[in-house]
Amino acid sequence: MVTLGCARNEVDSEELAGRLDAAGWELVDDDAEVVVVNTCGFVESAKKDSIDTLLAVSGGDAKVVAVGCLAERYGVQLAEQLPEAAAVLGFDAYATLPDALTRILSGERPDSHQPGDRRRLLPLSPVDRGAVVERLALEPGAIDIGLPGHAGGPAVVRRRLGDSPVAPLKLASGCDRRCAFCAIPSFRGAFVSRRPSDVLAEARWLADHGVRELVLVSENSTSYGKDLGDLRLLETLLPELAVVEGIERVRLSYLQPAELRPSLVETLTSTPGVAPYFDLSFQHSSASVLRRMRRFGDTDRFLGLLAQIRTASPTAAVRSNVIVGFPGETVADVAELERFLLAARLDAIGVFGYSDEDGTEAERLPDHLPPEVVAERVHRLTSLVEELTAQRAQERIGEIVEALVEAVSGDTAEGRTAGQAPEVDGSTTLTGAGAAGLAVGDLVRARVEDSCGVDLSADVVGVVTPARAGVAA
């Protein structure tokens, strides 16, 4: 099983691995009969990585099967351009993947997935949609409702594919927003929340399998609960997740600034065990660019939101992504974005150059910028944010932090603080006399002594909670 792309894909792969394991398949590191590649189809570079990976694993005797977002988004087209693949399967095939692989090994070639707009698979009314979810969940054997990884009951169908003390946990699938640059809703579908009982059951299962930090993922976490009749359901669920036995930290990701309500800010900054961490999708700060993106806000509103967060928790961490070079972006728009970044004091920032995505509104907008202009602006903003985030890390020197140990080498260890999400943010090197004898999964207190870019170095002053012994592998 090869997984590409985001944490949501990681969850899908572990659910597929669970289904295969339950059907008697054995997952191996090499000499496989079948290689399942869970692809990413988000942006051009991710699509290329997916295709390159499919080609790279197609050289041997193993049958190669493409699943995931690229397979869902392009289906038959991908199959025609990649005859090396034994099958290209969409999300609807997930529930019966073990049977499909058996047929593939016997020489069959399943029909390739026919792409369609997945937003049309469920009613767009949140009230109607919630009724559909409840009805399908109650039907005997109901598993798939057009959503990858959706289970109809609290039973957990998942197998861990690694031994990290951190694991993603999916809150919802799909998105109802219509950002002009984003194709995700068309192939991930309309927004559907998982029921709290399902989320809690999976959290307990993950804790029993060695997980100490839950990273809650979805396409838009601030929308959680709207289709279940309670938009503030997240404020109830987060404290319940934080007290699951064995879980030391709960981290919420993928937040929309326009939907970040005061009650959620309070929950994120005041609940023991919930990281005061804000993964805010600003994308830009010029009001005119944001309107063309079909988004909301501006520099001053965003700075006001950050002020609210830091009033509640002065050491809260904030990360974001920005897109530069959007059609019609002017020199003044870039200057406005720089004004925001200079004032925002963000801990981590991803800078992306705009590129057209198939089927999006932005693809059809006038005033596209030349590629060399986009590249120059990416370089300029990247240089700025590298300096700004390094300064922000320096401001952390002297803070007492709690870090979760993820790797140990001799008398030093690597971990992450509440302000550092896996893969997208920096990490913390743990040193000093207290670092000797640490184990993966330990939660420690440490004093930040130095920084390098976004990474921190901290001396361990004590163990908060040691790694748990005797949990399932």
Side-chain angles (χ1 to χ4, degrees):
M1 178 77 68
V2 179
T3 306
L4 304 171
C6 66
R8 298 181 291 276
N9 259 16
E10 291 180 33
V11 177
D12 289 350
S13 285
E14 292 198 346
E15 290 177 347
L16 291 176
R19 293 183 187 277
L20 290 166
D21 190 53
W25 286 79
E26 179 185 359
L27 275 77
V28 296
D29 294 326
D30 50 34
D31 296 326
E33 293 179 281
V34 183
V35 179
V36 178
V37 181
N38 191 354
T39 61
C40 179
F42 179 37
V43 293
E44 201 60 40
S45 59
K47 297 176 199 173
K48 183 179 183 303
D49 287 345
S50 294
I51 292 172
D52 289 347
T53 300
L54 287 164
L55 289 171
V57 300
S58 297
D61 296 330
K63 303 285 188 180
V64 176
V65 177
V67 298
C69 292
L70 191 71
E72 173 66 36
R73 189 173 180 186
Y74 293 103
V76 173
Q77 181 183 347
L78 178 63
E80 291 173 348
Q81 296 180 4
L82 201 71
E84 296 88 348
V88 176
L89 305 177
F91 295 153
D92 290 331
Y94 282 15
T96 56
L97 184 64
D99 178 62
L101 297 192
T102 299
R103 288 187 284 110
I104 288 168
L105 277 186
S106 70
E108 293 185 34
R109 186 178 180 89
D111 292 338
S112 299
H113 169 65
Q114 292 284 350
D117 190 336
R118 296 192 71 85
R119 289 171 295 191
R120 302 180 184 278
L121 296 179
L122 289 171
L124 291 184
S125 160
V127 175
D128 291 342
R129 191 181 312 153
V132 170
V133 172
E134 288 300 318
R135 176 176 57 77
L136 290 174
L138 292 172
E139 290 179 358
I143 294 175
D144 183 64
I145 56 170
L147 296 166
H150 179 89
V156 176
V157 181
R158 183 168 177 174
R159 171 178 168 166
R160 297 211 67 201
L161 297 176
D163 56 4
S164 170
V166 183
L169 174 57
K170 192 180 292 186
L171 281 174
S173 290
C175 184
D176 287 343
R177 299 184 71 88
R178 295 295 181 266
C179 300
F181 54 81
C182 185
I184 287 176
S186 66
F187 60 86
R188 275 287 183 180
F191 185 89
V192 177
S193 303
R194 296 182 67 196
R195 293 176 299 178
S197 57
D198 292 348
V199 177
L200 285 164
E202 190 165 329
R204 296 185 187 103
W205 183 90
L206 289 167
D208 289 342
H209 287 74
V211 171
R212 309 211 76 200
E213 178 179 324
L214 302 172
V215 181
L216 306 180
V217 299
S218 72
E219 277 72 28
N220 176 13
S221 296
T222 37
S223 284
Y224 180 75
K226 71 175 186 179
D227 52 332
L228 300 179
D230 185 356
L231 188 54
R232 297 194 178 188
L233 197 56
L234 198 54
E235 285 89 314
T236 303
L237 179 60
L238 284 169
E240 293 186 67
L241 289 168
V243 296
V244 169
E245 184 178 358
I247 298 300
E248 296 294 335
R249 189 157 65 202
V250 178
R251 183 185 305 277
L252 185 62
S253 59
Y254 304 109
L255 308 177
Q256 286 289 342
E259 297 179 16
L260 188 59
R261 50 202 175 269
S263 58
L264 184 53
V265 172
E266 181 180 1
T267 300
L268 289 170
T269 55
S270 65
T271 306
V274 174
Y277 176 85
F278 293 80
D279 177 12
L280 290 165
S281 175
F282 288 121
Q283 304 299 356
H284 211 285
S285 73
S286 163
S288 59
V289 173
L290 287 167
R291 298 306 176 272
R292 286 196 296 278
M293 289 180 169
R294 291 199 177 276
R295 294 176 66 85
F296 304 94
D298 55 42
T299 294
D300 293 333
R301 291 183 190 181
F302 291 162
L303 292 177
L305 175 60
L306 293 173
Q308 292 175 31
I309 291 169
R310 288 171 177 147
T311 297
S313 177
T315 59
V318 185
R319 82 162 331 272
S320 190
N321 296 315
V322 296
I323 297 173
V324 292
F326 192 77
E329 181 188 64
T330 65
V331 171
D333 292 327
V334 177
E336 182 68 0
L337 177 57
E338 290 176 330
R339 180 172 83 89
F340 168 68
L341 294 173
L342 286 166
R345 296 170 55 241
L346 303 179
D347 293 85
I349 309 165
V351 179
F352 298 91
Y354 172 79
S355 62
D356 282 336
E357 278 297 306
D358 296 340
T360 61
E361 180 183 349
E363 186 183 29
R364 303 185 299 274
L365 288 176
D367 303 321
H368 275 57
L369 300 178
E372 61 272 18
V373 173
V374 177
E376 186 279 328
R377 291 181 181 180
V378 169
H379 177 74
R380 173 177 163 184
L381 268 294
T382 298
S383 298
L384 174 63
V385 302
E386 286 178 352
E387 179 180 351
L388 293 174
T389 53
Q391 291 174 3
R392 179 63 173 152
Q394 287 180 335
E395 294 175 8
R396 300 276 182 192
I397 294 175
E399 282 187 18
I400 299 294
V401 297
E402 289 190 354
L404 182 65
V405 177
E406 295 185 344
V408 176
S409 177
D411 291 337
T412 64
E414 288 293 321
R416 290 178 304 96
T417 69
Q420 296 171 323
E423 298 186 13
V424 294
D425 300 330
S427 62
T428 298
T429 300
L430 300 165
T431 58
L438 289 179
V440 172
D442 285 343
L443 184 68
V444 303
R445 285 174 62 82
R447 179 183 292 104
V448 179
E449 301 289 349
D450 201 0
S451 66
C452 180
V454 295
D455 297 322
L456 305 176
S457 178
D459 283 352
V460 176
V461 298
V463 175
V464 179
T465 315
R468 298 172 70 206
V471 295

